[in-house]
Amino acid sequence: MKQHEITSPIPLLDQQGNLTQPGWARKLYPQYDRSRIKVSPMRRKEWDYYLVTDGQAALALTIADNGYMGLDSISLLDFKAGWQVTKSPMRAMPLGRTALPATSAKGVSVSSGRGYGLMFANDGRRRILTAHMDNFRDGQPLDAQITLTDEPPESMVICTPFEQPGHFYFNQKINCLRASGAVSLGDRVWPFRPETAFAVLDWGRGVWPYHESWYWASASGLLDGAGFGFNLGYGFGDTRAATENVLFYQGRAHKLGHVIFHIPLCRGRRDYLSPWTLESDDKRLMLTFQPVMDRAALTDVKLLKSDQHQVFGRFSGQVVLDAGTVLELRDFFGFAERVENKW
């Protein structure tokens, strides 16, 4: 498929609140202006999500302002011990008052509530993630401070329309950030060292339909000593102009076509902990995914529903860069997810 690449700065939205150019970019060329959104603030979705992992443990942090509902989330996963905990306090009717930055390049995102607080500070050179929650697991407090550096020169930026006028998905995924710091739970400490720990930023802004299901996979690390990662996904709107499927190698983006996730079935239901396969229509990506842990979360209160399966595990197989170079993956750590939201 021929994909439209945005190669210079543009306004993200026109005066009617629609995308000026559906497509993708290697840098944050589209410029987000919240005042151009023409639908109700109740429908606006904005979030900053970071995942840090070294393959032994993972920390995920979210600050989200989804119009009628704010969500602040902390997840800690210990893959060696085989447990995970997620706590996600909600806030009623933030309606943009969380004041998340209009760009991922610089700024501060902060939110707090009873017994917890989150702050993501970015001075343009490094990102410092700070989190605290009084009673995270078994009455023990969680504290984390992580510094992210070595941002690659290219990332994945996508501008995707939905069928409804004024609805869009604007997203940047920054893979292969180096991570250093630690997270503590009571007396237990999980250190993250930049030689082995990497992070991804999922920075999203948009206006979404009420009911959507999506698939997303991401991984970052070293492949034979070189920085490598990928972002794969679909279900985020009309992808005829461009997909968000990208390989990252030594800081550069290599664009893929459509990718399909094959999740095995068992007795008619998705078996998330059996091996998956992922393949692209251009045959430049063929991976198997061996799960090790399913971070499953279900919230269903009739009008609002979120059914999440973020599955962590190891990818093996082949990918092909733009120039035809074939890379072999073996047990490359990352995650793949399926999420259904009514929001």
Side-chain angles (χ1 to χ4, degrees):
M1 64 177 292
K2 185 177 181 180
Q3 303 186 49
H4 175 61
E5 182 177 354
I6 300 164
T7 58
S8 60
I10 60 168
L12 176 71
L13 302 175
D14 62 21
Q15 295 298 330
Q16 289 72 47
N18 297 311
L19 292 175
T20 58
Q21 290 188 40
W24 78 284
R26 302 169 192 268
K27 301 178 184 293
L28 202 67
Y29 289 131
Q31 298 168 3
Y32 178 69
D33 182 349
R34 192 179 291 118
S35 69
R36 291 199 173 194
I37 295 176
K38 302 305 180 185
V39 303
S40 166
M42 297 274 285
R43 302 301 309 150
R44 190 169 55 212
K45 316 290 184 194
E46 299 182 340
W47 68 84
D48 295 3
Y49 168 88
Y50 288 92
L51 174 75
V52 182
T53 184
D54 60 1
Q56 306 298 313
L59 176 71
L61 304 173
T62 306
I63 300 176
D65 186 321
N66 294 326
Y68 58 85
M69 179 266 291
L71 179 76
D72 304 319
S73 184
I74 301 174
S75 296
L76 179 61
L77 305 94
D78 188 320
F79 302 114
K80 294 181 70 174
W83 60 262
Q84 61 90 14
V85 173
T86 296
K87 295 289 183 71
S88 301
M90 295 184 182
R91 294 172 281 116
M93 294 293 179
L95 298 174
R97 288 189 295 271
T98 311
L100 295 176
T103 175
S104 70
K106 195 173 184 180
V108 177
S109 302
V110 62
S111 188
S112 62
R114 177 176 292 182
Y116 79 90
L118 292 161
M119 183 170 69
F120 310 150
N122 175 15
D123 63 5
R125 297 180 301 106
R126 61 179 184 170
R127 301 165 190 266
I128 298 178
L129 315 180
T130 306
H132 170 81
M133 185 169 283
D134 285 348
N135 180 6
F136 186 76
R137 183 176 190 247
D138 297 333
Q140 296 178 314
L142 177 143
D143 285 283
Q145 186 168 84
I146 308 293
T147 300
L148 306 183
T149 58
D150 296 82
E151 181 174 327
E154 296 184 353
S155 60
M156 191 292 301
V157 178
I158 194 79
C159 308
T160 305
F162 292 98
E163 291 183 1
Q164 299 95 318
H167 288 60
F168 66 93
Y169 170 55
F170 178 46
N171 183 241
Q172 182 182 33
K173 303 281 190 6
I174 302 177
N175 284 65
C176 302
L177 293 158
R178 296 274 185 167
S180 61
V183 55
S184 66
L185 181 63
D187 295 330
R188 176 81 188 276
V189 177
W190 290 262
F192 290 107
R193 300 180 176 88
E195 299 82 16
T196 55
F198 294 84
V200 61
L201 166 63
D202 171 10
W203 186 89
R205 305 290 185 265
V207 178
W208 283 64
Y210 169 63
H211 188 192
E212 287 292 323
S213 297
W214 69 75
Y215 298 78
W216 178 34
S218 179
S220 298
L222 295 177
L223 186 63
D224 298 327
F228 174 78
F230 57 74
N231 182 81
L232 310 172
Y234 57 99
F236 307 99
D238 183 349
T239 57
R240 285 178 295 179
T243 75
E244 67 165 58
N245 301 315
V246 180
L247 306 172
F248 300 100
Y249 188 64
Q250 295 182 328
R252 300 299 177 181
H254 300 256
K255 196 71 180 64
L256 301 177
H258 291 288
V259 172
I260 296 295
F261 294 29
H262 299 284
I263 305 173
L265 298 177
C266 180
R267 298 178 182 176
R269 299 173 64 88
R270 294 179 184 88
D271 184 3
Y272 289 100
L273 289 175
S274 289
W276 306 20
T277 58
L278 296 82
E279 57 184 339
S280 64
D281 60 356
D282 52 18
K283 306 304 179 185
R284 288 178 52 194
L285 178 139
M286 298 191 71
L287 298 176
T288 59
F289 176 59
Q290 181 62 57
V292 299
M293 182 180 291
D294 180 8
R295 191 189 68 81
L298 174 62
T299 301
D300 191 351
V301 288
K302 295 184 179 180
L303 290 178
L304 297 179
K305 178 182 178 181
S306 181
D307 187 3
Q308 304 180 19
H309 289 270
Q310 184 182 31
V311 183
F312 291 83
R314 301 185 182 279
F315 294 89
S316 299
Q318 284 189 345
V319 298
V320 182
L321 303 181
D322 286 345
T325 303
V326 178
L327 302 180
E328 300 279 347
L329 276 65
R330 183 176 179 182
D331 296 333
F332 197 82
F333 193 81
F335 69 85
E337 72 176 27
R338 181 185 184 275
V339 175
E340 179 190 5
N341 274 354
K342 294 180 180 179
W343 59 340

